[in-house]
Amino acid sequence: MKDERHPPVTSHATRVLVLNSGSSSVKYQLLDMRDGARLAAGLVERIGESASRLVHTPSGDEARGRERTEPIADHDEALKAVAEELTRDGVGLDSPELAAIGHRVVHGGPEFSAPTVIDDAVLAEIERLVPLAPLHNPANITGIRTARALRPDLPQVAVFDTAFHTTMPESAARYAIDVATADAHRIRRYGFHGTSHAYVSRRAAELLGRAPEELNLIVLHLGNGASASAVAGGRCVDTSMGLTPLEGLVMGTRSGDIDPAVVFHLERVAAMGTDEIDELLNKKSGLTGLCGDNDMREIRRRVDAGDAAATLAFEIYIHRLKKYIGAYYAVLGRVDAVVFTAGVGENAAPVRAAAIAGLGELGLVVDAELNAVRSGEPRLVSPEHARVAVAVVPTDEEMEIARQTFALVGLVDA
């Protein structure tokens, strides 16, 4: 049925506003899809507190950035403040050049495998998925509702962090627990960081001068949150995060893989409740739990200074990373490239060197000089004739959300 609230987008409408609504923050970018130009970007943080702050950067020019420090009570006020800042730059929400608003939604469950135009039914389904992402989906929903109220005539698109991973075969997505219980409670591996893995996979193919369909890639998204994916022919066939973002690699504050019986053990011997254990594994573990720091730059400084705790934390981090590289090599059978991305992956040369060290028999080698180069561009850090490429590809999740949103509203091919 035709939705009269969403008229066809006119040919001159080439802009997409990307919104990432957190529980107390809103990140945003306004992009022109003709050339990928960033017309504005910003962050509203500490929403609901007296110390609320909006930092707005027009045209990607930080030197011209503006800051507002005033109480912002809720997301409605936050988005109205964003609209005011955009209007000051001549790129307001009422512009006929605005084609759509793209929303990052963390969890799409098994229902959403692609970007989706939001209507009441879609919003209700996202709300039904809140138990799978209780910290994230409610904030995403709030941002969607506010944006729809501000521009009810404009297409609003949900782009799901989990969508890229819905191509996993059941053998990778299923946990080995009772099937009836798993199905009743939608327990399976969903994976996250999907917009990043999708963007980086495509950009890596461009770097290698080949079609995504020809390549097998291991993508390592290493930030404070970290995930790995095995990508065959442009499709995810396995990923390290699971039902939640807790599973998988060692992260800044998350444990990653752990024996599930640790939870029962802590309940019995430490009398810890569910919420305490949840906080331990999600906020007090990982690098923070091992050495008290979750900033890889500080950890490396401590390692170089001979700090034993930081050294062990780094070794545990790398050990887990190597295990996933090896596992996904086995899953794929043939690997064309290992690709590092996100804050740590893009900037921490020692992490890349350590993760690849000793894997020469698999065709994986890092060139020390190339690896030491700092750049914001996609690049190879492996020797010219390496059997398997090792690449660094900066991620751009906002651009990926904008691209998928723009494609869906009928302006370009997906």
Side-chain angles (χ1 to χ4, degrees), residues 109-264:
E111 291 81 4
F112 296 106
S113 59
T116 304
V117 174
I118 300 167
D119 57 19
D120 290 343
V122 169
L123 191 58
E125 188 60 31
I126 295 172
E127 194 158 17
R128 195 174 74 87
L129 294 169
V130 164
L132 294 176
L135 299 179
H136 297 93
N137 272 29
N140 303 153
I141 291 166
T142 298
I144 290 169
R145 284 183 172 144
T146 301
R148 291 180 81 199
L150 287 174
R151 284 298 308 269
D153 60 313
L154 200 66
Q156 312 257 345
V157 176
V159 177
F160 300 92
D161 268 10
T162 51
F164 182 67
H165 305 301
T166 58
T167 56
M168 283 189 292
E170 286 293 279
S171 56
R174 283 274 184 182
Y175 290 112
I177 66 173
D178 173 66
V179 171
T181 301
D183 288 348
H185 301 286
R186 292 173 290 178
I187 298 171
R188 61 188 290 115
R189 174 172 286 106
Y190 292 102
F192 299 89
H193 297 147
T195 52
S196 177
H197 286 277
Y199 176 85
V200 169
S201 298
R202 190 174 63 256
R203 292 286 281 148
E206 292 173 6
L207 176 66
L208 297 172
R210 297 172 65 184
E213 294 77 15
E214 300 175 0
L215 295 173
N216 284 357
L217 306 173
I218 298 172
V219 179
L220 304 171
H221 176 109
L222 307 180
N224 192 48
S227 61
S229 66
V231 182
R235 295 164 61 86
C236 177
V237 296
D238 205 349
T239 193
S240 59
M241 285 180 167
L243 174 73
T244 76
L246 181 60
E247 188 180 358
L249 302 175
V250 175
M251 304 176 225
T253 65
R254 299 179 196 144
S255 65
D257 291 339
I258 194 168
D259 182 345
V262 168
V263 175
F264 315 137

Side-chain angles (χ1 to χ4, degrees), residues 163-406:
F164 182 67
H165 305 301
T166 58
T167 56
M168 283 189 292
E170 286 293 279
S171 56
R174 283 274 184 182
Y175 290 112
I177 66 173
D178 173 66
V179 171
T181 301
D183 288 348
H185 301 286
R186 292 173 290 178
I187 298 171
R188 61 188 290 115
R189 174 172 286 106
Y190 292 102
F192 299 89
H193 297 147
T195 52
S196 177
H197 286 277
Y199 176 85
V200 169
S201 298
R202 190 174 63 256
R203 292 286 281 148
E206 292 173 6
L207 176 66
L208 297 172
R210 297 172 65 184
E213 294 77 15
E214 300 175 0
L215 295 173
N216 284 357
L217 306 173
I218 298 172
V219 179
L220 304 171
H221 176 109
L222 307 180
N224 192 48
S227 61
S229 66
V231 182
R235 295 164 61 86
C236 177
V237 296
D238 205 349
T239 193
S240 59
M241 285 180 167
L243 174 73
T244 76
L246 181 60
E247 188 180 358
L249 302 175
V250 175
M251 304 176 225
T253 65
R254 299 179 196 144
S255 65
D257 291 339
I258 194 168
D259 182 345
V262 168
V263 175
F264 315 137
H265 182 73
L266 289 172
E267 286 178 335
R268 285 192 288 261
V269 305
M272 293 178 69
T274 302
D275 290 343
E276 287 180 279
I277 298 172
D278 189 303
E279 184 174 9
L280 170 70
L281 297 180
N282 277 290
K283 298 181 180 180
K284 297 180 179 179
S285 296
L287 293 170
T288 294
L290 291 167
C291 71
D293 272 313
N294 66 346
D295 187 323
M296 186 57 71
R297 293 165 298 187
E298 178 60 18
I299 291 171
R300 283 303 312 174
R301 186 197 65 76
R302 289 172 56 185
V303 169
D304 293 341
D307 184 295
T311 299
L312 180 58
F314 185 77
E315 290 173 349
I316 293 171
Y317 181 94
I318 295 298
H319 180 77
R320 185 79 55 83
L321 199 50
K322 279 182 182 285
K323 283 178 68 174
Y324 270 91
I325 292 172
Y328 287 171
Y329 208 120
V331 166
L332 291 166
R334 185 200 84 244
V335 174
D336 297 292
V338 173
V339 189
F340 290 86
T341 193
V344 174
E346 294 168 27
N347 298 299
V351 168
R352 297 192 296 264
I356 300 300
L359 301 181
E361 290 295 317
L362 298 179
L364 288 161
V365 182
V366 164
D367 181 287
E369 290 187 10
L370 292 175
N371 192 40
V373 172
R374 294 184 66 87
S375 171
E377 297 298 320
R379 60 199 185 276
L380 294 176
V381 296
S382 49
E384 183 177 357
H385 301 295
R387 179 156 52 93
V388 179
V390 180
V392 180
V393 176
T395 193
D396 194 336
E397 294 175 85
E398 289 77 17
M399 179 58 73
E400 181 66 17
I401 291 170
R403 189 193 73 84
Q404 293 188 27
T405 297
F406 197 55

